[in-house]
Coordinates of all heavy atoms in Angstrom, one line a residue:
M1 N 168.1 320.2 129.1 CA 168.5 319.9 130.4 C 168.0 318.6 130.8 O 166.8 318.2 130.5 CB 167.8 321.0 131.4 CG 168.1 320.9 132.8 SD 167.4 322.1 133.9 CE 167.3 323.5 133.1
R2 N 168.7 317.8 131.4 CA 168.4 316.5 131.7 C 168.2 316.4 133.3 O 168.9 316.8 134.1 CB 169.5 315.5 131.4 CG 169.2 313.9 131.6 CD 170.3 313.1 131.1 NE 170.2 312.9 129.7 CZ 169.4 311.9 129.1 NH1 168.7 311.2 129.8 NH2 169.4 311.7 127.8
K3 N 166.9 315.9 133.6 CA 166.5 315.9 135.1 C 165.9 314.4 135.3 O 165.2 313.9 134.3 CB 165.5 317.0 135.4 CG 166.1 318.2 135.2 CD 167.0 318.6 136.3 CE 167.6 320.0 136.2 NZ 168.5 320.4 137.2
I4 N 166.2 314.0 136.5 CA 165.7 312.6 136.8 C 164.4 313.0 137.8 O 164.6 313.7 138.8 CB 166.6 311.8 137.5 CG1 167.8 311.5 136.6 CG2 166.0 310.4 138.1 CD1 169.0 310.7 137.3
I5 N 163.3 312.5 137.5 CA 162.2 312.7 138.4 C 161.4 311.3 138.7 O 161.6 310.3 138.0 CB 161.0 313.6 137.6 CG1 160.6 312.9 136.4 CG2 161.6 315.0 137.5 CD1 159.4 313.7 135.8
D6 N 160.9 311.3 139.8 CA 160.0 310.1 140.1 C 158.7 310.2 139.6 O 157.8 311.3 139.8 CB 160.1 310.0 141.7 CG 161.3 309.7 142.3 OD1 162.2 308.8 141.7 OD2 161.7 310.0 143.4
V7 N 158.3 309.2 139.0 CA 156.9 309.1 138.3 C 156.1 308.0 138.9 O 156.6 307.0 139.2 CB 156.9 308.9 136.8 CG1 155.5 308.9 136.2 CG2 157.7 310.0 136.1
D8 N 154.9 308.3 139.3 CA 154.0 307.3 140.2 C 153.8 306.2 139.2 O 153.6 306.3 138.0 CB 152.7 308.1 140.4 CG 151.7 307.1 141.2 OD1 152.1 306.1 141.6 OD2 150.7 307.6 141.5
D9 N 154.0 305.0 139.7 CA 153.9 303.8 139.0 C 152.5 303.6 138.2 O 152.5 302.9 137.3 CB 154.2 302.5 140.0 CG 155.5 302.5 140.4 OD1 156.4 303.0 139.8 OD2 155.8 301.8 141.5
Q10 N 151.4 304.2 138.8 CA 150.1 304.1 138.2 C 150.1 304.9 137.0 O 149.2 304.7 136.0 CB 149.0 304.5 139.2 CG 148.9 303.6 140.2 CD 147.8 304.1 141.3 OE1 147.4 305.2 141.2 NE2 147.5 303.2 142.3
I11 N 151.0 306.0 136.8 CA 151.0 306.9 135.8 C 151.6 306.3 134.5 O 151.3 306.6 133.3 CB 151.6 308.1 136.1 CG1 150.9 308.9 137.2 CG2 151.6 309.2 134.9 CD1 149.6 309.7 136.9
I12 N 152.7 305.5 134.7 CA 153.5 305.0 133.7 C 152.9 304.3 132.6 O 153.0 304.5 131.4 CB 154.7 304.3 134.3 CG1 155.7 305.1 135.1 CG2 155.5 303.5 133.2 CD1 156.7 304.5 135.9
P13 N 152.0 303.2 133.0 CA 151.2 302.6 131.9 C 150.3 303.6 131.1 O 150.1 303.4 129.8 CB 150.4 301.7 132.6 CG 151.0 301.4 133.9 CD 151.7 302.8 134.3
K14 N 149.8 304.6 131.7 CA 149.0 305.6 131.0 C 149.9 306.4 130.1 O 149.3 306.7 129.0 CB 148.3 306.5 132.0 CG 147.3 305.7 132.8 CD 146.6 306.6 133.9 CE 145.7 305.8 134.8 NZ 145.2 306.6 135.8
L15 N 151.1 306.7 130.5 CA 151.9 307.5 129.6 C 152.3 306.6 128.4 O 152.5 307.2 127.2 CB 153.2 307.8 130.3 CG 153.0 309.1 131.4 CD1 154.3 309.1 132.2 CD2 152.9 310.3 130.6
K16 N 152.6 305.4 128.7 CA 153.0 304.5 127.6 C 151.9 304.3 126.6 O 152.1 304.3 125.3 CB 153.4 303.1 128.2 CG 154.7 303.1 128.8 CD 155.0 301.6 129.3 CE 156.5 301.7 130.0 NZ 156.8 300.4 130.5
L17 N 150.6 304.1 127.1 CA 149.5 304.2 126.2 C 149.2 305.4 125.3 O 149.1 305.4 124.1 CB 148.1 303.9 127.0 CG 146.9 303.8 126.1 CD1 147.0 302.6 125.2 CD2 145.7 303.5 127.1
L18 N 149.4 306.6 125.9 CA 149.3 307.8 125.4 C 150.4 307.8 124.2 O 150.2 308.3 123.1 CB 149.5 308.9 126.3 CG 148.2 309.3 127.0 CD1 148.6 310.3 128.1 CD2 147.1 309.9 126.2
A19 N 151.6 307.6 124.5 CA 152.6 307.6 123.6 C 152.4 306.6 122.4 O 152.7 307.0 121.2 CB 154.0 307.2 124.3
A20 N 151.8 305.4 122.7 CA 151.5 304.6 121.6 C 150.5 305.1 120.7 O 150.6 305.0 119.4 CB 151.2 303.2 122.1
V21 N 149.4 305.7 121.3 CA 148.3 306.3 120.4 C 148.7 307.5 119.6 O 148.5 307.6 118.5 CB 147.2 306.6 121.5 CG1 146.1 307.5 120.8 CG2 146.5 305.4 122.1
E22 N 149.7 308.2 120.2 CA 150.2 309.4 119.5 C 151.3 309.1 118.7 O 151.9 310.0 118.0 CB 150.5 310.5 120.4 CG 149.3 311.1 121.2 CD 149.8 312.1 122.3 OE1 150.8 312.5 122.3 OE2 148.8 312.4 123.0
N23 N 151.8 307.8 118.6 CA 152.9 307.4 117.8 C 154.2 308.3 118.3 O 154.8 308.7 117.4 CB 152.6 307.5 116.4 CG 153.8 306.7 115.5 OD1 154.3 305.8 116.0 ND2 153.8 307.0 114.2
S24 N 154.3 308.3 119.5 CA 155.4 309.2 120.0 C 156.3 308.4 121.1 O 155.9 307.2 121.4 CB 154.8 310.4 120.7 OG 155.8 311.4 121.1
S25 N 157.0 309.2 121.8 CA 157.8 308.4 122.9 C 157.1 308.9 124.3 O 156.6 310.1 124.3 CB 159.2 308.9 122.9 OG 159.5 310.2 123.2
V26 N 157.5 308.3 125.4 CA 156.9 308.5 126.6 C 157.6 310.0 127.0 O 156.9 310.9 127.6 CB 157.2 307.5 127.7 CG1 157.0 308.1 129.1 CG2 156.4 306.3 127.4
K27 N 158.9 310.2 126.7 CA 159.6 311.4 127.1 C 158.9 312.5 126.3 O 158.6 313.5 126.9 CB 161.0 311.2 126.5 CG 161.8 312.5 126.8 CD 163.2 312.3 126.1 CE 163.9 313.7 126.3 NZ 164.7 314.0 125.3
K28 N 158.5 312.4 125.2 CA 157.8 313.5 124.4 C 156.4 313.8 124.9 O 156.2 314.9 125.1 CB 157.8 313.2 122.8 CG 157.4 314.3 122.0 CD 158.4 315.3 121.9 CE 158.0 316.4 121.0 NZ 159.0 317.5 121.1
V29 N 155.7 312.8 125.2 CA 154.4 312.9 125.9 C 154.6 313.8 127.2 O 153.9 314.7 127.4 CB 153.7 311.6 126.2 CG1 152.5 311.8 126.9 CG2 153.4 311.0 124.8
M30 N 155.5 313.4 128.0 CA 155.8 314.2 129.2 C 156.2 315.6 129.0 O 155.7 316.5 129.7 CB 156.9 313.4 130.1 CG 156.3 312.1 130.7 SD 157.6 311.3 131.6 CE 157.7 312.3 132.9
E31 N 157.1 315.8 128.0 CA 157.5 317.2 127.7 C 156.3 318.0 127.2 O 156.3 319.2 127.7 CB 158.6 317.1 126.5 CG 160.0 316.6 127.0 CD 160.9 316.3 125.8 OE1 160.5 316.3 124.7 OE2 162.0 316.2 126.3
N32 N 155.5 317.5 126.4 CA 154.3 318.2 126.0 C 153.4 318.4 127.1 O 152.9 319.6 127.1 CB 153.6 317.3 124.9 CG 154.3 317.2 123.6 OD1 155.2 318.0 123.3 ND2 154.0 316.3 122.7
A33 N 153.2 317.5 128.0 CA 152.3 317.8 129.2 C 152.9 318.9 130.0 O 152.1 319.8 130.5 CB 152.1 316.5 129.8
I34 N 154.2 318.8 130.2 CA 154.8 319.9 131.0 C 154.7 321.3 130.4 O 154.3 322.3 131.0 CB 156.4 319.5 131.5 CG1 156.2 318.3 132.3 CG2 157.0 320.6 132.1 CD1 157.5 317.7 132.4
S35 N 154.9 321.3 129.1 CA 154.9 322.5 128.4 C 153.5 323.1 128.5 O 153.3 324.3 128.6 CB 155.3 322.3 126.8 OG 156.5 322.0 126.9
W36 N 152.4 322.3 128.2 CA 151.2 322.7 128.3 C 150.7 323.2 129.8 O 150.1 324.4 129.8 CB 150.2 321.6 128.0 CG 148.6 322.0 128.1 CD1 148.0 322.5 127.2 CD2 147.9 321.8 129.4 NE1 146.8 322.8 127.7 CE2 146.7 322.4 129.0 CE3 148.2 321.3 130.5 CZ2 145.6 322.4 129.9 CZ3 147.1 321.3 131.5 CH2 145.8 321.8 131.1
Y37 N 151.2 322.6 130.7 CA 151.0 323.0 132.1 C 151.6 324.4 132.3 O 150.9 325.3 133.0 CB 151.4 321.9 133.2 CG 151.2 322.4 134.5 CD1 150.0 322.3 135.1 CD2 152.2 322.8 135.3 CE1 149.7 322.6 136.5 CE2 152.0 323.3 136.7 CZ 150.7 323.1 137.1 OH 150.6 323.5 138.5
V38 N 152.8 324.5 132.0 CA 153.4 325.8 132.2 C 152.8 326.9 131.5 O 152.4 328.0 132.1 CB 155.0 325.7 131.9 CG1 155.6 327.2 131.8 CG2 155.8 324.8 132.7
K39 N 152.4 326.8 130.2 CA 151.7 327.9 129.6 C 150.3 328.0 130.2 O 149.9 329.2 130.3 CB 151.5 327.4 128.1 CG 152.8 327.4 127.2 CD 152.5 326.9 125.8 CE 153.7 326.8 125.1 NZ 153.6 326.1 123.8
H40 N 149.6 327.0 130.5 CA 148.2 327.1 131.2 C 148.3 328.1 132.5 O 147.5 328.9 132.8 CB 147.7 325.7 131.5 CG 146.4 325.7 132.2 ND1 145.3 326.2 131.5 CD2 146.0 325.5 133.5 CE1 144.2 326.0 132.4 NE2 144.7 325.7 133.6
R41 N 149.4 327.6 133.3 CA 149.7 328.4 134.6 C 150.0 329.9 134.3 O 149.5 330.7 135.0 CB 150.7 327.8 135.4 CG 150.2 326.4 136.0 CD 149.1 326.5 137.0 NE 149.6 327.3 138.2 CZ 148.8 328.0 138.9 NH1 147.6 328.1 138.7 NH2 149.3 328.7 139.9
Q42 N 150.8 330.1 133.4 CA 151.1 331.5 133.0 C 149.9 332.3 132.6 O 149.7 333.4 132.9 CB 152.2 331.5 131.8 CG 153.6 331.2 132.4 CD 154.6 331.1 131.2 OE1 154.1 330.8 130.0 NE2 155.8 331.3 131.5
K43 N 149.0 331.6 131.7 CA 147.8 332.3 131.4 C 146.9 332.7 132.5 O 146.4 333.7 132.6 CB 147.0 331.6 130.4 CG 147.6 331.5 129.0 CD 146.9 330.7 128.1 CE 147.6 330.5 126.7 NZ 146.8 329.6 125.8
E44 N 146.8 331.7 133.4 CA 145.9 331.8 134.5 C 146.5 332.9 135.6 O 145.8 334.0 136.1 CB 146.0 330.6 135.6 CG 145.0 329.5 135.1 CD 145.0 328.4 136.1 OE1 145.7 328.3 137.0 OE2 144.1 327.5 135.8
Q45 N 147.9 333.1 135.6 CA 148.4 334.1 136.5 C 148.3 335.4 135.8 O 148.0 336.4 136.6 CB 150.1 333.9 136.7 CG 150.3 332.7 137.7 CD 151.7 332.3 137.8 OE1 152.6 332.8 136.8 NE2 152.1 331.7 138.9
L46 N 148.5 335.5 134.5 CA 148.2 336.8 133.9 C 146.8 337.3 134.0 O 146.4 338.5 134.2 CB 148.6 336.7 132.5 CG 150.2 336.9 132.1 CD1 150.3 336.6 130.6 CD2 150.5 338.2 132.5
S47 N 145.8 336.4 133.8 CA 144.4 336.8 134.0 C 144.0 337.2 135.3 O 143.1 337.9 135.7 CB 143.5 335.6 133.5 OG 143.6 334.6 134.4
E48 N 144.8 336.8 136.4 CA 144.6 337.1 137.9 C 145.2 338.4 138.2 O 144.9 339.0 139.2 CB 144.8 336.1 138.7 CG 144.1 334.8 138.6 CD 144.5 333.5 139.4 OE1 145.6 333.7 140.1 OE2 144.0 332.6 139.3
M49 N 146.1 339.0 137.3 CA 146.7 340.1 137.7 C 146.0 341.4 137.6 O 145.1 341.5 136.7 CB 148.1 340.3 136.8 CG 149.2 339.4 137.0 SD 150.4 339.5 135.8 CE 151.8 339.9 136.9
S50 N 146.2 342.5 138.4 CA 145.6 343.6 138.3 C 146.2 344.4 137.1 O 147.2 344.1 136.6 CB 145.7 344.5 139.5 OG 147.1 344.9 139.7
L51 N 145.5 345.5 136.6 CA 146.1 346.3 135.5 C 147.4 346.9 135.9 O 148.3 346.8 135.0 CB 145.1 347.5 135.2 CG 145.4 348.4 134.1 CD1 145.7 347.6 132.7 CD2 144.4 349.4 133.9
E52 N 147.6 347.3 137.2 CA 148.9 347.9 137.7 C 150.0 346.9 137.6 O 151.0 347.1 137.2 CB 148.7 348.4 139.1 CG 149.9 349.1 139.5 CD 149.7 349.7 140.9 OE1 148.6 350.2 141.2 OE2 150.8 349.7 141.7
Q53 N 149.6 345.7 138.0 CA 150.6 344.6 137.9 C 151.0 344.2 136.5 O 152.1 343.9 136.2 CB 150.1 343.3 138.6 CG 149.9 343.4 140.1 CD 149.3 342.3 140.8 OE1 148.3 341.7 140.2 NE2 149.8 341.9 142.0
K54 N 150.1 344.1 135.6 CA 150.4 343.9 134.1 C 151.3 345.0 133.6 O 152.1 344.8 132.9 CB 149.0 343.9 133.3 CG 148.3 342.6 133.6 CD 147.0 342.5 132.8 CE 146.1 341.3 133.2 NZ 144.9 341.1 132.4
E55 N 150.9 346.2 133.9 CA 151.8 347.4 133.5 C 153.2 347.2 134.1 O 154.3 347.5 133.2 CB 151.2 348.7 133.9 CG 149.9 349.0 133.3 CD 149.2 350.4 133.7 OE1 149.6 350.7 134.8 OE2 148.3 350.8 133.0
D56 N 153.3 346.9 135.2 CA 154.7 346.7 135.8 C 155.4 345.5 135.2 O 156.6 345.6 134.9 CB 154.5 346.3 137.4 CG 154.1 347.6 138.3 OD1 154.2 348.7 137.7 OD2 153.7 347.4 139.4
L57 N 154.8 344.4 134.9 CA 155.4 343.3 134.2 C 155.8 343.9 132.8 O 156.9 343.4 132.3 CB 154.3 342.2 134.2 CG 154.9 341.0 133.4 CD1 156.2 340.3 134.1 CD2 153.8 340.0 133.3
G58 N 154.9 344.5 132.1 CA 155.3 345.0 130.8 C 156.6 345.9 130.7 O 157.5 345.8 129.9
L59 N 156.6 346.8 131.8 CA 157.9 347.6 132.0 C 159.0 346.8 132.2 O 160.1 347.1 131.7 CB 157.5 348.7 133.1 CG 158.6 349.6 133.3 CD1 159.0 350.5 132.1 CD2 158.3 350.5 134.4
L60 N 158.9 345.8 133.1 CA 160.1 344.9 133.4 C 160.6 344.2 132.2 O 161.8 344.2 131.9 CB 159.6 343.9 134.4 CG 160.6 342.8 134.7 CD1 161.9 343.4 135.4 CD2 160.1 341.8 135.6
L61 N 159.6 343.7 131.3 CA 160.0 343.0 130.1 C 160.7 344.1 129.2 O 161.7 343.6 128.5 CB 158.8 342.4 129.5 CG 158.1 341.2 130.3 CD1 156.8 340.7 129.5 CD2 159.1 340.0 130.5
L62 N 160.1 345.2 129.1 CA 160.8 346.2 128.1 C 162.2 346.6 128.6 O 163.2 346.7 127.9 CB 160.0 347.5 128.1 CG 158.8 347.5 127.3 CD1 157.9 348.7 127.4 CD2 159.1 347.3 125.8
M63 N 162.4 346.7 130.0 CA 163.6 347.0 130.6 C 164.7 345.9 130.3 O 165.9 346.2 130.1 CB 163.5 347.3 132.1 CG 162.8 348.6 132.3 SD 162.5 348.9 134.2 CE 164.1 348.8 134.9
Q64 N 164.2 344.7 130.4 CA 165.1 343.5 130.0 C 165.5 343.5 128.7 O 166.6 343.1 128.4 CB 164.4 342.2 130.6 CG 164.2 342.0 132.0 CD 163.4 340.8 132.2 OE1 162.7 340.2 131.3 NE2 163.5 340.3 133.4
Q65 N 164.8 344.1 127.8 CA 165.3 344.0 126.4 C 166.1 345.3 126.0 O 166.7 345.3 125.0 CB 163.9 344.2 125.4 CG 163.0 343.0 125.4 CD 161.8 343.1 124.7 OE1 161.6 344.3 124.1 NE2 161.0 342.1 124.6
A66 N 166.1 346.2 126.9 CA 166.9 347.5 126.6 C 168.3 347.1 126.6 O 168.9 346.2 127.2 CB 166.6 348.4 127.6
N67 N 169.1 347.8 125.8 CA 170.6 347.7 125.7 C 171.2 348.4 126.9 O 171.2 349.5 126.9 CB 171.1 348.2 124.3 CG 172.5 348.0 124.2 OD1 173.2 347.4 124.9 ND2 173.1 348.2 123.0
A68 N 171.8 347.6 127.8 CA 172.3 348.2 129.1 C 173.7 348.8 128.7 O 174.3 349.6 129.6 CB 172.4 347.1 130.1
T69 N 174.3 348.6 127.6 CA 175.6 349.2 127.4 C 175.5 350.6 126.7 O 176.6 351.3 126.7 CB 176.5 348.3 126.4 OG1 175.7 348.1 125.2 CG2 176.7 347.0 127.0
T70 N 174.4 351.0 126.3 CA 174.2 352.2 125.6 C 174.1 353.3 126.8 O 173.3 353.2 127.7 CB 173.0 352.3 124.8 OG1 173.0 351.4 123.8 CG2 172.8 353.7 124.1
I71 N 174.8 354.4 126.7 CA 174.9 355.5 127.7 C 174.2 356.8 127.1 O 174.5 357.2 125.9 CB 176.3 355.8 128.2 CG1 176.8 354.6 128.8 CG2 176.2 357.0 129.2 CD1 178.2 354.7 129.3
V72 N 173.2 357.3 127.8 CA 172.6 358.6 127.3 C 173.1 359.7 128.2 O 172.9 359.4 129.5 CB 171.1 358.3 127.4 CG1 170.3 359.6 126.9 CG2 170.7 357.2 126.5
S73 N 173.4 360.8 127.8 CA 173.8 361.9 128.5 C 172.6 362.6 129.3 O 171.4 362.4 128.9 CB 174.4 363.0 127.7 OG 173.4 363.6 126.8
E74 N 172.8 363.3 130.3 CA 171.9 363.8 131.2 C 171.2 364.9 130.3 O 169.8 365.0 130.4 CB 172.4 364.5 132.4 CG 171.4 365.1 133.3 CD 172.0 365.8 134.5 OE1 173.3 365.4 134.8 OE2 171.2 366.4 135.3
D75 N 171.7 365.7 129.5 CA 171.1 366.6 128.6 C 170.1 365.9 127.7 O 169.0 366.5 127.4 CB 172.1 367.6 127.8 CG 172.9 368.3 128.8 OD1 172.4 368.7 129.8 OD2 174.1 368.6 128.3
E76 N 170.6 364.8 127.1 CA 169.6 364.2 126.1 C 168.4 363.6 126.8 O 167.5 363.5 126.2 CB 170.5 363.1 125.5 CG 169.8 362.4 124.2 CD 170.7 361.4 123.5 OE1 171.9 361.3 123.9 OE2 170.1 360.7 122.6
L77 N 168.7 363.1 127.9 CA 167.6 362.6 128.8 C 166.4 363.5 129.1 O 165.3 363.2 128.9 CB 168.1 361.8 130.0 CG 167.2 361.1 131.0 CD1 166.6 359.9 130.2 CD2 167.7 360.6 132.3
F78 N 166.9 364.7 129.5 CA 165.9 365.7 130.0 C 165.5 366.7 128.8 O 164.9 367.6 129.2 CB 166.4 366.4 131.2 CG 166.5 365.4 132.4 CD1 167.7 365.0 132.9 CD2 165.5 365.0 133.0 CE1 167.8 364.1 133.9 CE2 165.5 364.2 134.1 CZ 166.6 363.7 134.6
K79 N 165.9 366.5 127.7 CA 165.6 367.5 126.7 C 164.3 367.3 126.3 O 163.7 366.2 126.1 CB 166.6 367.1 125.4 CG 166.4 368.1 124.2 CD 167.5 368.1 123.2 CE 167.7 366.6 122.8 NZ 168.5 366.5 121.5
S80 N 163.6 368.4 126.1 CA 162.1 368.4 125.7 C 161.8 368.1 124.2 O 162.3 368.6 123.5 CB 161.4 369.7 126.0 OG 161.8 370.4 127.2

């Protein structure tokens, strides 16, 4: 996805220096920084969740993976 963002003029030389040191492009350095930040924030959010919230999230993820086209009969669902 291509997005245009405004970057502070003081940051640009630092990005260029990092890219040169890492033998990379400024774009790649920015992509890596954004990826790291997103992962970091996700970890923080998970660690701040209660056990009940984690269970709810796990159930939501399982439900998203379920095949919604498969139909189960009522007898099969409530069979012991």
Side-chain angles (χ1 to χ4, degrees):
M1 176 182 332
R2 187 174 275 277
K3 296 288 180 187
I4 297 174
I5 60 169
D6 291 325
V7 178
D8 188 358
D9 290 337
Q10 295 176 351
I11 301 274
I12 294 173
K14 295 174 185 179
L15 285 169
K16 289 180 179 180
L17 179 63
L18 282 172
V21 167
E22 294 179 6
N23 196 22
S24 184
S25 67
V26 171
K27 178 184 176 216
K28 190 67 178 168
V29 170
M30 290 177 68
E31 288 172 348
N32 290 342
I34 292 167
S35 295
W36 177 86
Y37 178 78
V38 169
K39 287 177 189 174
H40 178 73
R41 290 294 297 150
Q42 286 176 332
K43 286 180 185 177
E44 279 184 353
Q45 287 176 338
L46 278 175
S47 66
E48 293 172 2
M49 290 175 120
S50 68
L51 180 60
E52 184 176 325
Q53 289 172 322
K54 289 178 183 178
E55 290 173 350
D56 289 345
L57 179 60
L59 182 58
L60 174 65
L61 294 173
L62 284 174
M63 289 173 63
Q64 288 177 343
Q65 292 176 0
N67 186 353
T69 59
T70 304
I71 299 175
V72 178
S73 69
E74 185 178 344
D75 292 336
E76 190 177 351
L77 180 63
F78 292 107
K79 186 170 41 172
S80 319

